[in-house]
Amino acid sequence: MRRFVTWLAAALISFSSPVLADDHPVVVELYTSQGCSSCPPADAYLSTLAGREDVIALALHVDYWDYIGWKDDFADPKFTKRQKAYAMAANRRSVYTPQMIVNGAEHVIGNHPVDVEELIAKHAKMPDRVSLALSKRGGVLSISAHADRVMPTPLVVHLVRYEPMQKVKIRGGENAGRDLIYSNIVTEWNRLGDWDTRSPLNLQAQVRGDDPVVVILQAPGPGPIVAASRLR
């Protein structure tokens, strides 16, 4: 009987413990395309990450597969440029889809969830170096941050907006005939400026609409993401 009670208590803990929001969520960028036949499993996996509080999952659709028969209407040349910049920073000669980049530092094939989960866990355990807070009143976003020590270079302040979900019927190309669901589709990615961490950051930006707002503080390069926060 005692063994049963012990097992029951452990089971209740495992099934009832909520997933708590992390103080420093891990950013996962998925580089994907509606025209890529290997991407739907990665898109589906990103949808599971999109529901987590400890992860900021972002789908950046690239345009270099548009020529094979289907134009991705979410694609933006800026996202292709960002992915290529990551490749150059890592001394890699090419880019591919689906690719996930974890906290700006780890490159991994996007349809390998086990590898991605390991990297998320690794970065979630890293200590905070920067505290970042967001608030929004009307159409004004207020951003504040301070660093526990001065960073070697100023951090880039990025403002990101995304659409939480959209279903698309693919009528051409490698995925022709499929109805695919996409999550956290990045619609805007703007560089607000650079932050010299020798003094606190206090910045305001205009935002429109109800789509979620993400602010990312990242080493130049693009390099590692030092802090990120989101308002939904």
Side-chain angles (χ1 to χ4, degrees), residues 41 49 61 77 79 86 97-98 106 109 121 140 158 172 178 184 208 222:
L49 295 178
H61 287 242
F79 305 154
Y86 270 127
T97 55
E106 314 273 4
I109 297 173
V140 178
H158 297 282
R178 302 183 68 172
N184 291 17
R208 296 180 180 178

Side-chain angles (χ1 to χ4, degrees), residues 7-57:
W7 174 86
L8 180 61
L12 288 172
I13 291 172
S14 64
F15 283 107
S16 62
S17 296
V19 177
L20 300 177
D22 201 316
D23 289 337
H24 55 293
V26 176
V27 177
V28 178
E29 300 172 51
L30 169 64
Y31 290 87
T32 185
S33 172
Q34 295 172 7
C36 161
S37 62
S38 302
C39 287
D43 298 321
Y45 172 53
L46 189 87
S47 293
T48 68
L49 295 178
R52 289 171 53 171
E53 294 294 332
D54 62 330
V55 173
I56 296 177

Side-chain angles (χ1 to χ4, degrees), residues 36-176:
C36 161
S37 62
S38 302
C39 287
D43 298 321
Y45 172 53
L46 189 87
S47 293
T48 68
L49 295 178
R52 289 171 53 171
E53 294 294 332
D54 62 330
V55 173
I56 296 177
L58 301 171
L60 292 95
H61 287 242
V62 297
D63 61 354
Y64 49 81
W65 292 120
D66 287 359
Y67 75 95
I68 61 175
W70 179 257
K71 180 176 172 55
D72 188 328
D73 52 356
F74 302 147
D76 191 318
K78 290 195 301 185
F79 305 154
T80 302
K81 183 178 179 181
R82 180 170 171 83
Q83 188 187 24
K84 289 181 177 179
Y86 270 127
M88 290 181 63
N91 293 316
R92 300 186 179 187
R93 295 183 178 180
S94 61
V95 293
Y96 64 90
T97 55
Q99 181 187 34
M100 285 186 174
I101 297 179
V102 180
N103 255 14
E106 314 273 4
H107 299 211
V108 61
I109 297 173
N111 51 18
H112 288 184
V114 173
D115 296 338
V116 178
E117 292 291 341
E118 288 178 356
L119 292 173
I120 291 172
K122 170 186 170 182
H123 283 268
K125 293 176 183 177
M126 292 182 176
D128 286 333
R129 293 183 288 167
V130 169
S131 296
L132 172 64
L134 308 180
S135 63
K136 182 182 173 187
R137 186 170 184 175
V140 178
L141 175 70
S142 296
I143 305 165
S144 60
H146 70 271
D148 63 0
R149 63 180 183 275
V150 177
M151 303 289 162
T153 58
L155 298 179
V156 181
V157 184
H158 297 282
L159 175 62
V160 183
R161 308 296 300 277
Y162 66 82
E163 184 177 349
M165 189 184 74
Q166 193 172 139
K167 186 176 181 179
V168 178
K169 186 172 186 63
I170 310 297
R171 301 183 184 276
E174 294 182 346
N175 291 317

